[in-house]
Amino acid sequence: MAHAPARMASTLRELRTLFALAAPLALTHLGNQLLGTVDAAVVGRLGEVELGAVGLGSGIYFTLAVVGLGLVVGFDPLVAQALGSGESDVARRSYRHAARVALLATVPLSILIAAVVYILPHAGIAADSAEATRIYVLTRLPGLGFFLVLVAARGLLSAHGVTRPLIIGVVLANLVNLPVSWALVFGDAGLVRLGLPALGIPRLGIAGAGWASTISTIIQCAVAVYALRTLPGRAAPRHFEPELMKRGVRLGLPVAGTLLAEVGVFGLSSYFAGLLGQQPLAAHNVALMLASTTFQVPLGIGIAASVRVGHAIGREDTPGARKAGFLALGLATAFMTTTAALFVFFPTTLARIFTPDPVVIRAVLPLLAVAAVFQLADGAQVVAAGALRGAGDTRFPFVANVVGHYVVGLPLSLGLAFGLGWGARGIWVGLSAGLFAVAILLVHRFTRVSARHIQRV
């Protein structure tokens, strides 16, 4: 009992540190989501074709970009564990190799993304929609390399507990995005409509939204990379280290697979909702937007968990890593329980944020009832995956996601939606079951891994 106050004080310190890191990371993710919302709002004034093209184009872009994202994130545990052991030079060298991977991955991913949008007319997409999607995606492609370097820089900044530049970057990006998007999409006519003087800006249409997104990404990347100059380790050797590169890529490949599995199952869920008709698809999209918004907070907590677990392992403190992981799980569960209650008690109010259509709102209500349960699993799985990533375990989360989503969730979604006639609600019940399977597997894995000494990767 004499040690209880000391343990409590240690736990509170860890919780405060975790919260101080997770809160700005969550705000950064929410700010990035706002960028996409603004793009859709501006382009929606052009018409249904352009609005649909932004949705389809963003889906194609991010589905393939997550491969590069996963490869870069694979270096995060190397950075965090190095800093935990006081090796700031190793952390800086790991970041530099992550940035190299970001730049190397940009070329093949850009070619692949461009190839996909060029074959859309041959994949059953209407010619006007395919053309608008192609234009939007090609104007976003110049920002891909900056996006991946931003992810690498975020890993080093977060591991140092320096998050202010990330907040500044996303705030600046949002301040620039709306006026630039409006000006480029509508040109001088849009400025005059707002009572502003003409500046000789041509009307670019949907291409303007793509360029605005690219500019916003470049701004965030520039702020983050500039902030790195204040961190220790700048004098670390800059030469290429094959072994360090191999370790990072070996950790990153399963992360890329995990992200592809997640993005893929939600993309398929939207496709199957579309097969049910326009109304079920609209309701599905509204519910998905609400769930995606709340997800940004546990996503930030998961990144913070990865950092804190990595720090503890770097200083050879496995009990500290276990404490950090479970505190992060508790924090995410508390937040998602709150959002679940909002989904249960205020579903109509929430649905009206995205649509005024009473028919769509009625269709959303049963989906939000399922999404309320879905919240708990979604928060737990992303935080447990982050904790495991901090421990250097990236393969098991990939296996868990494949099993949970494609062995449990997707077959159940199809069976309930089309076999039993549950419609969109059946798709969401299946998604929820898949997420619970993933969450159970990952939490159990972290419980087992952290019960014994964890070696540094």
Side-chain angles (χ1 to χ4, degrees), residues 246-275:
K246 187 186 301 183
R247 286 163 58 202
V249 172
R250 188 166 58 241
L251 290 167
L253 280 172
V255 178
T258 299
L259 295 174
L260 268 178
E262 289 185 40
V263 171
V265 77
F266 281 96
L268 286 171
S269 73
S270 295
Y271 170 73
F272 292 128
L275 296 180

Side-chain angles (χ1 to χ4, degrees), residues 81 313 316 318 391-392 452-457:
Q81 291 182 17
I313 291 169
E316 298 187 356
T318 298
R452 59 183 185 273
H453 180 67
I454 302 175
Q455 295 286 347
R456 183 176 164 185
V457 291

Side-chain angles (χ1 to χ4, degrees), residues 405-422:
H405 290 309
Y406 294 92
V407 177
V408 177
L410 193 58
L412 186 59
S413 288
L414 294 176
L416 294 176
F418 298 99
L420 297 183
W422 287 21

Side-chain angles (χ1 to χ4, degrees), residues 183-226:
L184 294 180
V185 169
F186 299 108
D188 278 349
L191 297 178
V192 171
R193 193 186 311 170
L194 297 177
L196 299 174
L199 299 174
I201 300 174
R203 177 188 171 98
L204 298 181
I206 194 171
W211 284 118
S213 293
T214 294
I215 292 167
S216 298
T217 301
I218 292 172
I219 289 171
Q220 290 189 76
C221 180
V223 172
V225 171
Y226 182 74

Side-chain angles (χ1 to χ4, degrees), residues 59-152:
I60 293 169
Y61 179 88
F62 283 110
T63 296
L64 296 173
V66 296
V67 175
L69 174 64
L71 289 172
V72 173
V73 167
F75 287 83
D76 284 2
L78 300 179
V79 172
Q81 291 182 17
L83 287 178
S85 65
E87 301 169 358
S88 58
D89 282 7
V90 175
R92 176 71 71 152
R93 283 157 41 208
S94 298
Y95 153 72
R96 288 174 179 156
H97 282 71
R100 288 186 176 106
V101 167
L103 296 175
L104 289 171
T106 297
V107 175
L109 286 175
S110 296
I111 293 171
L112 183 58
I113 292 170
V116 169
V117 296
Y118 271 104
I119 66 172
L120 287 178
H122 308 288
I125 303 298
D128 54 351
S129 294
E131 175 66 9
T133 302
R134 181 183 64 80
I135 292 171
Y136 178 71
V137 170
L138 292 182
T139 51
R140 289 203 64 170
L141 273 184
L144 178 59
F146 292 97
F147 167 68
L148 295 178
V149 172
L150 168 62
V151 172

Side-chain angles (χ1 to χ4, degrees), residues 230-310:
T230 64
L231 303 181
R234 292 181 66 189
R238 296 175 178 270
H239 64 274
F240 178 72
E241 300 175 63
E243 183 58 33
L244 182 56
M245 178 70 85
K246 187 186 301 183
R247 286 163 58 202
V249 172
R250 188 166 58 241
L251 290 167
L253 280 172
V255 178
T258 299
L259 295 174
L260 268 178
E262 289 185 40
V263 171
V265 77
F266 281 96
L268 286 171
S269 73
S270 295
Y271 170 73
F272 292 128
L275 296 180
L276 295 170
Q278 286 298 323
Q279 181 186 305
L281 177 59
H284 170 82
N285 285 336
V286 169
L288 196 56
M289 283 188 285
L290 284 166
S292 297
T293 301
T294 59
F295 176 73
Q296 303 309 309
V297 174
L299 179 59
I301 296 171
I303 296 172
S306 176
V307 170
R308 295 302 299 162
V309 169

